[in-house]
Amino acid sequence: WPLRLLHVPSMTSYEWTEGNKYGNVKEPPYNTVSYTWGCWKLDRGPSLPVKGVGWTVPAVDENHFSVTDLQNLVKRISIEGAGEEGNKSVVEHVWIDMACIDQENNSLKMKETGRQAVIFEGA
């Protein structure tokens, strides 16, 4: 299980606790998003509004995509099968690195980044 999952309806990043719990939810189904943001990372600017984190969520370079675009993406991937008619179910948790990996703790960041294949497989 990932160290954190983002609860999309509340935009809160919950830390994993014993029993594979995130907040009050045990073993929630989750979707993942993978993207390249490092080359567009800014020191200041608008960022995804995420509650429950102790680090600064990286700013988004709106020349490439906006915070609104990113919020819409996160909401869209929380709906499993969103592109398939008649096969839609809500998945309230999403793993996205900027909201689920402490961006200011390099050792933790490298460890969790190295687990991405397992995280993606669990989605």
Side-chain angles (χ1 to χ4, degrees):
W1 286 92
L3 291 179
R4 288 181 164 272
L5 286 175
L6 177 66
H7 180 251
V8 176
S10 67
M11 288 303 286
T12 302
S13 180
Y14 286 104
E15 193 168 7
W16 176 91
T17 58
E18 191 172 327
N20 300 327
K21 290 177 81 177
Y22 298 87
N24 294 325
V25 182
K26 182 178 174 137
E27 298 183 359
Y30 66 94
N31 288 329
T32 60
V33 63
S34 178
Y35 64 102
T36 302
W37 62 268
C39 59
W40 298 321
K41 184 178 173 188
L42 303 172
D43 292 330
R44 290 184 283 160
S47 62
L48 193 65
V50 177
K51 300 176 198 131
V53 298
W55 63 89
T56 302
V57 175
V60 173
D61 184 343
E62 293 197 308
N63 291 317
H64 299 284
F65 56 90
S66 70
V67 171
T68 301
D69 292 338
L70 189 54
Q71 285 176 300
N72 289 338
L73 171 70
V74 168
K75 287 175 186 172
R76 179 146 173 91
I77 65 170
S78 72
I79 302 173
E80 192 170 59
E84 303 168 22
E85 286 189 41
N87 187 25
K88 296 178 183 177
S89 62
V90 175
V91 176
E92 292 190 342
H93 291 81
V94 169
W95 184 91
I96 181 171
D97 65 352
M98 68 171 39
C100 298
I101 298 177
D102 183 341
Q103 300 296 307
E104 296 169 357
N105 181 332
N106 257 357
S107 63
L108 182 64
K109 186 174 168 180
M110 292 299 112
K111 180 180 175 185
E112 194 71 347
T113 300
R115 297 183 61 241
Q116 282 184 341
V118 172
I119 292 168
F120 281 37
E121 185 177 314

